[in-house]
Amino acid sequence: MSKHALQIFACNASRDLATEICARLGRRLGQLDISRFTNDNLRVQIGDNVRERDVYVVQSFTEPVSDHIMELLITLDALRSASAQRITAVIPYYSYARSDKKDAPRISITGRLIADMLKTAGAHRVLTMDLHADQVHGFFSVPVDHLTAIPTLAEHFHNHYDLSNMVAVATDAGGAKRVGRFSERLGIPMAIIDKRRVNDTEVKHGEVVGDVRGRDAVIFDDEISTAGTLVSSAETLRAAGARSVHAGATHGVLCGPAIARLRDAAIDSVVVSNTVHLPASKRIDKITTLSVAPLFASAIERIHSGESVGALFE
């Protein structure tokens, strides 16, 4: 595709991130009007000519999640109707990746359902970041480019922390692979907390597998939601003798009581990316937000020109 054909739009959840991406690419953010009819139905109108264009729509699935998903679906359909040549749904945070299996009777595997809806609406491909479960990649019947913020977060810790006494910590065995990649990139050891779910709302943290006594522990995960797991993990690490506790995650969802919990917790610092917009009301001193706009900009540029996206991480 010729370079002039590239166009980027943003729905309401990710306008700031999309603006940064456009600035990196030297592009103007496309005009998109999202409004509501008097009966509360959403209305989307594309303000630019997109005929035969290579179009990218940036939208994270953040609160209110259902509204933001509908915004994206309607936008994709509008772009298809306007004869866009190729449409890529850029979803920095795909929240329904947590609904990846049938772990209770008579429930939906919603991560797959949303993937099907994106294709039906008009998406030819998807660009996303750090899915909660790797198998969600397989839910899509269109090409998926799956980015990771691990290099961005690791670089920040390398530049701003003393790694000589640091250990990376997984909050459970399921996160060990992700934390392993993070610890390997920094060249530090790792530990795992033995976490067992008591019921739907209660999790019990047991022993720490690995040496954390006298060390600076950094808990690493794909997202921080209510921060319940993070705070209880920090308490477990402190009880095991950790000298300090830090946290790193790609998606700073920080919903419900998360900010209050983090403010009061024995956690020295929290580092997240801007896949989820962090409003001023949630910005406390111990939270640092890193931009992944350069990574998304590079990926979009490579997709547009037909280059390898995987080469970004080699």
Side-chain angles (χ1 to χ4, degrees), residues 70-93:
M70 282 302 298
E71 284 181 8
L72 178 58
L73 294 175
I74 296 171
T75 301
L76 296 174
D77 186 61
L79 289 165
R80 179 178 57 181
S81 298
S83 300
Q85 185 181 62
R86 184 176 67 180
I87 305 167
T88 300
V90 181
I91 309 172
Y93 173 55

Side-chain angles (χ1 to χ4, degrees), residues 5 12 14-15 37 40 75 106 112 123 128 144 150 158 169-170 180 183 197 238 255 277 280:
N12 285 326
S14 301
R15 289 192 181 277
F37 293 104
D40 202 43
T75 301
R106 298 173 295 281
R112 184 186 61 199
T128 189
V144 176
I150 287 177
H158 181 272
V169 180
S183 66
R197 184 163 291 281
R238 293 284 188 180
C255 57
H277 174 68

